[in-house]
Amino acid sequence: MKKLAFGLILIGLVLPAALQAAPLPTVTFGVTDANSPQQVSTALQVLLLLTVLSMAPAILLMTTAFTRIVIVLSFVRQAMGTQAMPPNQIIVGLSLFLTFFIMSPVFNQINDTALQPYLKEKINQQQALDLAVKPMREFMFSQTSEKDLALLMEVSKQPVPERRDDVSTMSLIPAFMLSELKRAFQMGFMIFIPFLVIDMVVASVLMSMGMMMLPPIIISLPFKLLLFVLVDGWGLVVGSLVKSFY
């Protein structure tokens, strides 16, 4: 105890002196007059970049396969009745990595056609943005139903497009999300059916035995877990999700 007390006293005496001797960096923010229009343009570009980075999670949700995957995996957990198993962090993490796996051809195309030429200064910023949006639009078109796209075009009172280039990205994104929600809930319904059958069978058996005070979920949960493990449920679900995008 004496050595510990002596060490604490020594640290208390040496640390303030060391902090005073060591130079500490400072960060300052300020607003000054611009000397040229280029400085104003650079500041606006930085502000726009920060805005886009803050919206990156929403863009990931709206324009990739993440929505369908995370909803279906959540349906699986709810159908089994395991409450918080697997945890939300596992569900979201698996959904993110599956999204990167599915979207890797699109991301590679964006990197080859837009990002690398822009970094090598072969194209300007506007051209890079147009080339980057094109693969994402092709992916969203491949997963968007014509009915949902027609609904958004009708609501926005836009003329019927003759080709895909006539459809604006602002109309394509919500139509894509509607299609993803519809397809995810259809897959979730198909996942619920076998687990619902097990719950009904267990509830009927308990009723016939007169054990009405025993919650059926306590008895059916081990059977549902056993069925899910025997049929390799996670492999079937993940495989079906990946194949649904091709």
Side-chain angles (χ1 to χ4, degrees):
M1 293 296 295
K2 293 181 179 180
K3 293 182 178 179
L4 178 61
F6 178 75
L8 293 176
I9 294 174
L10 182 61
I11 292 175
L13 294 175
V14 173
L15 185 60
L19 291 177
Q20 291 179 359
L24 297 178
T26 58
V27 179
T28 59
F29 295 93
V31 179
T32 59
D33 295 334
N35 298 322
S36 63
Q38 286 76 12
Q39 293 181 354
V40 179
S41 177
T42 303
L44 293 177
Q45 290 178 4
V46 172
L47 179 61
L48 179 61
L49 178 61
L50 294 177
T51 304
V52 172
L53 290 177
S54 64
M55 295 177 60
I59 296 174
L60 176 65
L61 294 177
M62 291 186 295
T63 60
T64 62
F66 181 82
T67 302
R68 186 191 308 182
I69 296 173
V70 73
I71 291 177
V72 172
L73 294 182
S74 300
F75 268 121
V76 172
R77 182 178 62 182
Q78 188 173 359
M80 288 191 298
T82 53
Q83 302 300 327
M85 285 294 159
N88 290 330
Q89 293 86 347
I90 302 298
I91 296 293
V92 175
L94 180 59
S95 301
L96 282 174
F97 280 102
L98 287 176
T99 300
F100 294 144
F101 174 77
I102 294 171
M103 300 295 297
S104 58
V106 179
F107 293 155
N108 291 335
Q109 185 178 356
I110 293 175
N111 181 65
D112 296 337
T113 61
L115 181 59
Q116 293 302 323
Y118 175 71
L119 294 178
K120 295 178 181 178
E121 299 182 356
K122 295 181 179 179
I123 57 178
N124 56 31
Q125 185 176 4
Q126 184 61 40
Q127 291 174 336
L129 181 60
D130 294 338
L131 292 173
V133 170
K134 187 177 179 180
M136 295 299 300
R137 284 173 56 90
E138 292 178 356
F139 171 78
M140 288 188 287
F141 270 120
S142 65
Q143 303 299 325
T144 304
S145 64
E146 296 182 0
K147 182 179 179 181
D148 295 328
L149 185 58
L151 174 63
L152 267 297
M153 299 295 291
E154 181 182 356
V155 170
S156 61
K157 297 181 180 180
Q158 298 182 12
V160 179
E162 298 181 357
R163 53 182 184 174
R164 290 183 173 182
D165 294 339
D166 298 334
V167 180
S168 64
T169 305
M170 292 298 102
S171 299
L172 177 60
I173 292 177
F176 168 75
M177 292 197 67
L178 285 177
S179 300
E180 288 294 285
L181 289 173
K182 183 186 300 182
R183 196 170 287 110
F185 273 76
Q186 291 173 351
M187 297 180 69
F189 172 76
M190 298 302 296
I191 292 172
F192 253 99
I193 292 178
F195 297 107
L196 181 61
V197 171
I198 294 177
D199 287 334
M200 294 177 63
V201 171
V202 171
S204 300
V205 172
L206 292 178
M207 289 279 292
S208 63
M209 295 176 62
M211 304 174 65
M212 293 178 293
M213 300 301 294
L214 181 63
I217 186 64
I218 297 179
I219 306 300
S220 63
L221 179 58
F223 290 100
K224 290 190 288 186
L225 291 176
L226 179 62
L227 173 65
F228 196 72
V229 171
L230 290 178
V231 300
D232 190 17
W234 288 113
L236 291 176
V237 171
V238 172
S240 300
L241 277 171
V242 174
K243 293 178 182 178
S244 66
F245 289 95
Y246 297 100

